[in-house]
Amino acid sequence: MAATPNRRTLATTETSLRVIEALKDVGGARVTELAEEMDLAASTVYSHLATLEDAGYVIKDGDTYRLGLMFLDLGEHVRKSNEYFSLAESKVEQLAEETGGRAHFIVEEHGQGVYVYTKSGKHAVKTFSRDGRRLGLHRTAAGKAILAALPRRRVEEIIERHGLPRRTSNTITDPEVLFEELDAIRARDGIAFNKEEQLRGVRAAGAPVRGPDGSVIGALSVSGPTHRMKDERLHEEVPNVILGTANELELEIEYA
């Protein structure tokens, strides 16, 4: 985890956060395994793990350390503390039921997309998406809907920070191509598409959700296998349902 330029940071805190991220990635590890993974001294890794364990953020099962459920409590607190996010939950369930696909509510944080709510309809296919997972905004329908609602300079900052990493052969990796796509999204009243750009065999449509001041709060989307998401269903049927649901959510937010 790199330090942010021109800001004071604590190396010990950064190391603890790296330990947490490493444990998340490997799912659980012994001290020596984690030290090798992180290229740190075993004694250093042990000190951070012991501190995190004492605070309840890490558990020890034999010789193996894992993340504790304290993070579940923190995540739910963050999600429930935002009134707008709470209102989105029922809309995601509604979208999943009406379309039969996999519905999402995604927000932008630090230039990345974060799945806040994910629900599956009766025809949904299991993908990597799950609540709390982060992803590149340029590769998903909801992410591109958010980018299209942001000022150009903010999008440029996001590209400078995270780049446009490729996931499939359809992923947009050229900034100018992305900006052309964002112009097209704005011309479609905010409707964005993901045509196998994040995962092969999966397409999606999405639309932004705006707050009372007009700023983008997040985006709703529905994804499904290519054979269910094509032609009129992808470009008209599903987008119309998403737009209607997004409008309902915006009204609930305005009068909450």
Side-chain angles (χ1 to χ4, degrees):
M1 181 176 295
T4 304
N6 301 319
R7 294 182 64 180
R8 295 181 61 186
T9 59
L10 295 174
T12 53
T13 303
E14 289 180 353
T15 302
S16 289
L17 292 173
R18 285 184 59 203
V19 168
I20 291 170
E21 289 288 339
L23 278 179
K24 183 193 74 171
D25 291 340
V26 301
R30 297 183 178 91
V31 172
T32 53
E33 294 170 339
L34 202 60
E36 183 177 351
E37 175 74 18
M38 299 178 65
D39 194 23
L40 290 173
S43 59
T44 298
V45 172
Y46 173 78
S47 295
H48 286 273
L49 286 171
T51 302
L52 290 166
E53 183 186 10
D54 286 346
Y57 290 93
V58 164
I59 60 172
K60 186 179 181 183
D61 182 11
D63 294 332
T64 300
Y65 289 86
R66 306 181 192 280
L67 296 182
L69 291 175
M70 185 74 78
F71 290 101
L72 179 61
D73 180 49
L74 290 174
E76 276 301 297
H77 169 75
V78 172
R79 188 160 64 172
K80 297 298 184 183
S81 65
N82 188 308
E83 185 178 13
Y84 296 164
F85 294 175
S86 297
L87 291 172
E89 182 175 15
S90 64
K91 299 305 177 185
V92 175
E93 293 175 345
Q94 178 181 321
L95 273 177
E97 183 177 349
E98 287 189 32
T99 65
R102 194 161 173 84
H104 316 90
F105 177 65
I106 292 177
V107 302
E108 179 265 325
E109 185 176 78
H110 297 303
Q112 293 182 303
V114 182
Y115 288 100
V116 179
Y117 290 108
T118 302
K119 303 292 181 181
S120 294
K122 61 182 179 180
H123 298 303
V125 293
K126 186 176 181 179
T127 65
F128 78 102
S129 62
R130 58 171 170 74
D131 294 355
R133 186 155 190 172
R134 293 176 177 268
L135 70 159
L137 291 166
H138 67 293
R139 301 193 301 261
T140 67
K144 288 193 283 184
I146 290 172
L147 290 176
L150 294 174
R152 181 183 176 99
R153 182 54 196 152
R154 175 59 182 147
V155 179
E156 290 172 342
E157 291 171 352
I158 290 172
I159 294 173
E160 289 170 6
R161 179 172 182 178
H162 298 288
L164 298 173
R166 182 186 300 278
R167 283 297 296 266
T168 75
S169 59
N170 290 351
T171 305
I172 296 175
T173 58
D174 184 326
E176 290 309 312
V177 174
L178 177 62
F179 281 116
E180 290 176 3
E181 175 82 355
L182 299 183
D183 287 338
I185 291 168
R186 286 187 283 268
R188 294 193 295 264
D189 295 324
I191 287 292
F193 299 108
N194 162 16
K195 298 181 179 180
E196 301 183 73
E197 296 162 56
Q198 171 67 29
L199 191 65
R200 296 295 299 181
V202 176
R203 293 177 177 173
V209 175
R210 297 181 181 274
D213 63 355
S215 63
V216 62
I217 293 172
L220 292 168
S221 68
V222 173
S223 64
T226 53
H227 72 278
R228 289 188 177 276
M229 295 286 283
K230 59 183 180 180
D231 303 328
E232 183 178 350
R233 178 168 173 77
L234 174 65
H235 295 102
E236 294 184 27
E237 182 180 334
V238 171
N240 286 338
V241 175
I242 295 172
L243 276 177
T245 306
N247 289 339
E248 291 175 8
L249 178 54
E250 289 171 345
L251 285 173
E252 291 185 12
I253 289 172
E254 183 172 0
Y255 295 106

